[in-house]
Amino acid sequence: MQGPVFGSCADRAQASLVVGGMDRGSCACRHRFGQNSPCHRPHFGAAGADARLTPDSPLIHGASRIGVRGLGVELELPLDAVLEGDCVAALRRLPPASVHAIFADPPYNLQLKGSLHRPDHSLVDAVDDAWDQFSDFAAYDAFTREWLSECRRVLRRDGTIWVMGAYHNVFRLGVALQDLGFWVLNDVIWRKANPMPNFRGRRFTNAHETLIWAARGPESKHRFNYQQMKALNDDVQMRSDWFIPLCTGHERLRDAAGQKLHPTQKPEALLHRVILACTAPGEVILDPFLGSGTTAAVARRLGRRFIGIERDPGYAQAARARVAAVEPLSETAALVAPTRREQPRIPFGTLVENGTIPPGSTLTDKQRRWRATVGADGSIGCGRAQGSIHAVGAAVQEAPSCNGWVFWHVEQKGGALRLLDLFRTEALAAR
Ligand SMILES: C[S@@+](CC[C@H](N)C(=O)[O-])C[C@H]1O[C@@H](n2cnc3c(N)ncnc32)[C@H](O)[C@@H]1O
């Protein structure tokens, strides 16, 4: 295993963070990161890179890194790598504004008291690992704020973060996120199809966990792959409650003795939805608490790049092996429909100009409650309302907004109505 080389900031080559032993596969792209350096190209290179962060690795100090950016020198990211070490230290070595998305499944601070048994007296395999122990809430909060601050620094301006937790910790995570300037977009409920029963019968069955989805800040123009989420949900808008089973069966990693390899391995279906919702192929998703490597494995399958950080050498090694075994989807399968924002735009005026909907045509809504006349400049008029197809659609319905493309129709010969959006689709296809 060869470790990463952390050079000084004196020159670009040395300032680059190089991951030894990394197989970039067919990807020739060198990711250089600044706030405005998107890379949306799909990469399907091999993964499972091996990068060990040791306490004596030379560091690129935070202040120098900022200075390096200021001088226009670009840093590189250790892509498709499982970095071994404490996530705060590892994050500090990454360049600012460099990753598109973050998924974090941090320690829960479960504060378990005593052991738990099933009615048949068998012992419940609870999460009592050292990594989940904190002396008190203050220590947990301090840790949370430390890693979240570093995550915010490495997240691109328009990037988003997912932080998941259970009732033990999720409220503390939420406060920290908001205090640090993140902008909460949703709290998604992962409703477990097969939760563990409440054996003592003194509380409700704990059947869900919460994923807080937040943008870097209120000004972020975050990516939400709305159409893809809808397609994933049988063409119905995706809701914020997700019904997904726990990770069991062949997906659950086991050690040589057949025991669960990791106590909190998350289902791949959960990460599939997360990654598909907020990234494009080729974009970079970072997981500071990689555990068994679920985020990395799904990212690789979906043609995304990943950076995983894990403190436990055994888990890190298992994650590398898991990722190396993943077969990425073909580019065609991984590439999905572009978002509406990414689609080429066509103004209504263009359809008027080119005679598809000539000036003087009449537009009407589906129920034929309102009739509007098309002007030569692409505006429409309906009674006292005058303006764009969207503004007039909103005005007549007394609604705050309206998508005129799917509100207005054109009356065809014979009286049938045709949705305005169909004319636009045809015009786009003809381009
Ligand atoms: C809740 S588990 C994540 C499980 C993961 N999502 C999966 O599907 O396997 C949290 C992981 O964070 C690791 N961890 C805890 N503290 C850490 C730290 N300071 N830096 C890096 N990793 C840490 C633990 O070893 C554990 O594997």
Side-chain angles (χ1 to χ4, degrees):
M1 266 190 299
Q2 196 184 336
V5 178
F6 295 90
S8 82
C9 302
D11 66 45
R12 198 186 147 267
Q14 279 188 310
S16 297
L17 191 156
V18 181
V19 179
M22 182 161 175
D23 179 359
R24 287 176 186 269
S26 57
C27 168
C29 171
R30 314 217 14 117
H31 284 251
R32 299 187 182 107
F33 285 83
Q35 198 69 277
N36 300 310
S37 55
C39 176
H40 298 295
R41 284 183 38 218
H43 300 274
F44 296 87
D50 186 354
R52 186 176 287 262
L53 291 176
T54 59
D56 52 355
S57 300
L59 290 171
I60 302 172
H61 297 286
S64 309
R65 237 190 277 128
I66 291 163
V68 168
R69 263 189 87 219
L71 292 170
V73 179
E74 296 156 333
L75 302 173
E76 291 184 11
L77 280 179
L79 292 177
D80 303 333
V82 176
L83 309 175
E84 203 174 297
D86 172 67
C87 65
V88 176
L91 284 162
R92 286 197 178 126
R93 292 166 182 161
L94 299 181
S98 53
V99 304
H100 298 85
I102 296 176
F103 174 83
D105 178 18
Y108 305 68
N109 188 24
L110 284 184
Q111 315 134 58
L112 294 178
K113 304 214 175 5
S115 49
L116 184 62
H117 292 85
R118 297 187 182 84
D120 66 2
H121 304 299
S122 60
L123 187 67
V124 173
D125 184 14
V127 183
D128 54 1
D129 307 62
W131 56 259
D132 202 46
Q133 316 283 334
F134 292 82
S135 53
D136 51 24
F137 285 140
Y140 185 75
D141 292 346
F143 169 67
T144 299
R145 280 161 199 267
E146 225 183 347
W147 68 260
L148 271 178
S149 303
E150 285 305 319
C151 280
R152 191 157 187 275
R153 189 185 61 78
V154 302
L155 192 60
R156 296 164 66 92
R157 190 194 53 206
D158 295 337
T160 56
I161 185 168
W162 297 77
V163 182
M164 72 176 292
Y167 67 86
H168 314 82
N169 64 335
V170 74
F171 303 103
R172 312 192 87 80
L173 295 174
V175 171
L177 277 163
Q178 289 186 324
D179 284 354
L180 292 172
F182 289 101
W183 187 250
V184 176
L185 300 167
N186 277 117
D187 59 329
V188 170
I189 300 300
W190 167 31
R191 191 174 157 220
K192 300 174 184 177
N194 45 352
M196 188 167 73
N198 183 273
F199 295 117
R200 291 187 180 137
R202 292 179 54 80
R203 299 184 188 186
F204 298 106
T205 302
N206 182 23
H208 75 275
E209 290 188 33
T210 304
L211 294 92
I212 304 174
W213 185 38
R216 191 179 181 284
E219 71 291 345
S220 306
K221 291 187 175 57
H222 69 276
R223 167 183 281 277
F224 175 48
N225 296 327
Y226 173 81
Q227 296 297 344
Q228 292 157 34
M229 287 297 99
K230 198 170 161 190
L232 199 63
N233 196 34
D234 270 352
D235 248 2
V236 179
Q237 232 179 43
M238 182 69 83
R239 295 158 44 121
S240 62
D241 47 349
W242 300 355
F243 189 65
I244 294 175
L246 292 167
C247 175
T248 53
H250 69 275
E251 192 184 314
R252 188 90 206 198
L253 302 183
R254 309 243 163 221
D255 61 19
Q259 300 299 313
K260 285 179 198 165
L261 195 130
H262 194 287
T264 67
Q265 183 182 337
K266 295 299 175 301
E268 293 196 359
L270 190 74
L271 270 298
H272 183 105
R273 203 173 288 184
V274 162
I275 293 173
L276 206 61
C278 68
T279 62
E283 290 189 347
V284 182
I285 180 154
L286 179 143
D287 186 335
F289 303 100
L290 190 65
S292 63
T294 313
T295 306
V298 177
R300 177 161 158 78
R301 181 166 312 121
L302 293 176
R304 273 65 171 176
R305 313 302 299 264
F306 68 86
I307 301 169
I309 309 170
E310 171 54 52
R311 198 171 62 178
D312 182 298
Y315 294 154
Q317 197 47 48
R320 287 186 197 109
R322 178 178 180 186
V323 172
V326 168
E327 195 57 47
L329 291 175
S330 71
E331 297 201 21
T332 338
L335 290 169
V336 284
T339 63
R340 284 229 179 235
R341 211 189 272 170
E342 289 167 342
Q343 283 171 357
R345 289 166 59 84
I346 187 157
F348 177 63
T350 304
L351 301 185
V352 176
E353 254 170 6
N354 68 17
T356 308
I357 300 173
S361 305
T362 300
L363 303 183
T364 181
D365 64 295
K366 198 173 175 188
Q367 289 81 29
R368 300 178 200 256
R369 290 167 295 178
W370 296 285
R371 294 171 72 79
T373 307
V374 176
D377 60 354
S379 68
I380 63 171
C382 179
R384 291 166 56 168
Q386 185 78 36
S388 71
I389 51 171
H390 312 296
V392 174
V396 296
Q397 298 177 89
E398 296 180 4
S401 62
C402 165
N403 180 349
W405 290 109
V406 293
F407 176 70
W408 295 110
H409 297 66
V410 177
E411 202 166 71
Q412 310 277 274
K413 279 189 192 129
L417 294 183
R418 187 159 196 251
L419 188 66
L420 208 52
D421 205 35
L422 296 176
F423 294 91
R424 174 171 70 157
T425 309
E426 276 171 8
L428 283 169
R431 279 188 168 182

